[in-house]
Amino acid sequence: MKLTSTRLWALCILIAAGCHGSGKRQPNPPPPPVVGRGTPAVPPKPLAIPDRPLSPARLPDPLDDKQSMIPKPPSASDMALPHRKEPATGLELAKAGPTANNVQTIGATETAIPDARAGDTALESMRQQHLNAVTAWSKIDAFDARLTRRESINGKTTPQEVIHFMFRKEPYSVRLKWIGTEGQGREVVYVQGQYGGKMHIQPTRQDSAPLPPLRMAFAPDSRMVRGKSRHDIREAGLNDAIRQIGSTLDIITRQPNQRQRLRHLGMVTRPEYVTRMNAIEETIPPGAEELLPQGGKRVIFFDTAPDSPSVHLPVLVITHDHAGQEVEYYCFDRMTTKLRLTDADFDPEVVFKKK
């Protein structure tokens, strides 16, 4: 029997309908397996600092993925600087953001410039804290720690980074290894006066795409480097914050009318540390610093735990610009000072040998 074109089309439709079994649509194939917050089922290579007991001044950090040992970064809301009523300084600074519920100021602060003849106890307290920091720093030859960093460069906020930070005083040596989700695997080594006086960088595949991740070297003041960080690697570590406070104290000694540039916030509670921290706020006038042309405020928090390796040192620094926007956040924790770092620890040929 010959099939007409109409019957042929009807037969094709019936066959197609029968392929779906009672006319019901088959479910879509299951998606590939994932674990955690959408991370691949195969975890990345572990890159974090080897586990060790934390200082009594630290809280253990929750981990997104215990196999990769990459700590969950603190949220920006937890790091917000509490707003305070400021003394008359002549600077029109906006609020530094909403006050975080878990940030509590314990000590009293000045509300006006004290009369030097009546005794400035707050200023003396800040001088004593600076002296304690200088003394503590003088006893350290090398340290390693975890650095959590956020910066705003040319008005653009960069992603938060978690870095294994290694430092040696003589010769001045810095080694950085990115252990968080941002830039994971990137490494930088710098030794002043050696290896061509350059920063030696092992990028990630994402850094160098579409090219393969080949090792590079740049001068510390190279435009390529400064476009990625607010500060020169020769300013890395803890000494720069100590030096900055000392410099401002010297200015106040020579010019008492500059007293308002430092304010003692006293003992405060921060989410990064278990123990309370001694905080000093610095008002930066317009034009005083190249990176803050319109001025701003910087708060330096000193570790106060007597049994902590970083006691008396400025382990947390938060800077806001003239509009109250955070531009710098540097937090050091998990610090170890009783260690001996050798030349091999900062030799690019040794560090990058297996790369």
Side-chain angles (χ1 to χ4, degrees):
M1 182 179 67
K2 294 184 178 180
L3 295 175
T4 64
S5 60
T6 303
R7 289 179 178 178
L8 181 62
W9 278 111
L11 180 61
C12 290
I13 293 173
L14 289 174
I15 294 173
C19 292
H20 292 286
S22 305
K24 292 183 180 180
R25 187 173 181 178
Q26 296 293 322
N28 292 327
V34 296
V35 294
R37 300 178 181 176
T39 55
V42 179
K45 179 181 177 182
L47 288 172
I49 305 173
D51 194 20
R52 60 172 178 266
L54 301 183
S55 152
R58 316 295 184 271
L59 277 175
D61 296 283
L63 304 180
D64 279 338
D65 182 353
K66 292 184 178 180
Q67 289 180 302
S68 63
M69 292 297 292
I70 298 174
K72 179 182 177 182
S75 65
S77 61
D78 286 342
M79 304 305 172
L81 184 67
H83 174 62
R84 294 177 170 277
K85 185 177 180 180
E86 303 297 337
T89 62
L91 293 176
E92 296 295 327
L93 297 179
K95 293 182 178 180
T99 301
N101 292 331
N102 59 349
V103 180
Q104 178 186 7
T105 300
I106 307 299
T109 61
E110 308 119 303
T111 57
I113 302 174
D115 186 345
R117 292 171 299 178
D120 190 343
T121 57
L123 181 60
E124 290 307 310
S125 295
M126 290 187 287
R127 290 191 190 280
Q128 185 61 53
Q129 176 59 78
H130 175 255
L131 177 60
N132 291 343
V134 170
T135 302
W137 181 246
S138 69
K139 297 177 181 179
I140 294 176
D141 296 321
F143 74 87
D144 82 344
R146 183 178 65 175
L147 167 64
T148 301
R149 179 175 76 174
R150 291 195 301 269
E151 293 184 332
S152 179
I153 302 172
N154 297 325
K156 182 179 179 181
T157 300
T158 60
Q160 180 167 280
E161 300 167 309
V162 183
I163 302 169
H164 182 189
F165 188 100
M166 299 175 66
F167 179 89
R168 180 178 61 169
K169 280 186 181 177
E170 296 294 340
Y172 181 94
S173 310
V174 178
R175 178 177 167 185
L176 312 174
K177 183 174 183 179
W178 275 250
I179 59 175
T181 54
E182 178 64 28
Q184 184 179 142
R186 183 187 305 134
E187 293 190 68
V188 174
V189 177
Y190 172 74
V191 181
Q192 195 167 36
Q194 298 184 23
Y195 311 115
K198 295 183 177 181
M199 298 170 53
H200 294 260
I201 304 169
Q202 178 64 47
T204 65
R205 292 186 181 277
Q206 290 75 19
D207 291 335
S208 59
L211 300 175
L214 300 176
R215 198 175 111 191
M216 301 177 290
F218 298 98
D221 56 357
S222 165
R223 185 175 299 179
M224 288 286 292
V225 174
R226 295 308 304 272
K228 301 293 184 181
S229 177
R230 288 176 62 87
H231 294 282
D232 194 308
I233 196 169
R234 292 167 292 189
E235 301 170 356
L238 304 174
N239 188 52
D240 196 59
I242 299 173
R243 180 199 57 77
Q244 180 62 43
I245 287 289
S247 176
T248 306
L249 285 168
D250 288 343
I251 291 174
I252 293 172
T253 299
R254 298 192 306 269
Q255 305 176 50
N257 63 340
Q258 296 292 310
R259 171 64 182 84
Q260 73 274 12
R261 290 183 60 171
L262 288 181
R263 186 182 183 200
H264 191 213
L265 302 183
M267 301 297 289
V268 301
T269 297
R270 289 290 306 182
E272 299 92 342
Y273 276 74
V274 174
T275 55
R276 293 184 296 170
M277 310 182 79
N278 194 12
I280 297 176
E281 180 187 74
E282 178 184 10
T283 295
I284 302 142
E289 294 186 14
E290 181 181 356
L291 294 176
L292 294 166
Q294 299 183 66
K297 289 185 182 292
R298 176 183 295 115
V299 182
I300 302 175
F301 300 85
F302 296 84
D303 190 357
T304 63
D307 50 357
S308 169
S310 56
V311 63
H312 301 312
L313 293 175
V315 291
L316 174 62
V317 178
I318 305 176
T319 305
H320 290 77
D321 65 12
H322 68 288
Q325 298 299 313
E326 181 191 278
V327 292
E328 296 175 352
Y329 173 92
Y330 309 112
C331 179
F332 288 89
D333 67 354
R334 294 192 178 186
M335 183 175 291
T336 301
T337 57
K338 294 182 179 180
L339 75 168
R340 183 174 178 268
L341 298 177
T342 67
D343 291 342
D345 291 310
F346 300 96
D347 184 341
E349 298 302 324
V350 176
V351 173
F352 302 140
K353 184 176 181 180
K354 297 181 180 180
K355 303 299 179 182

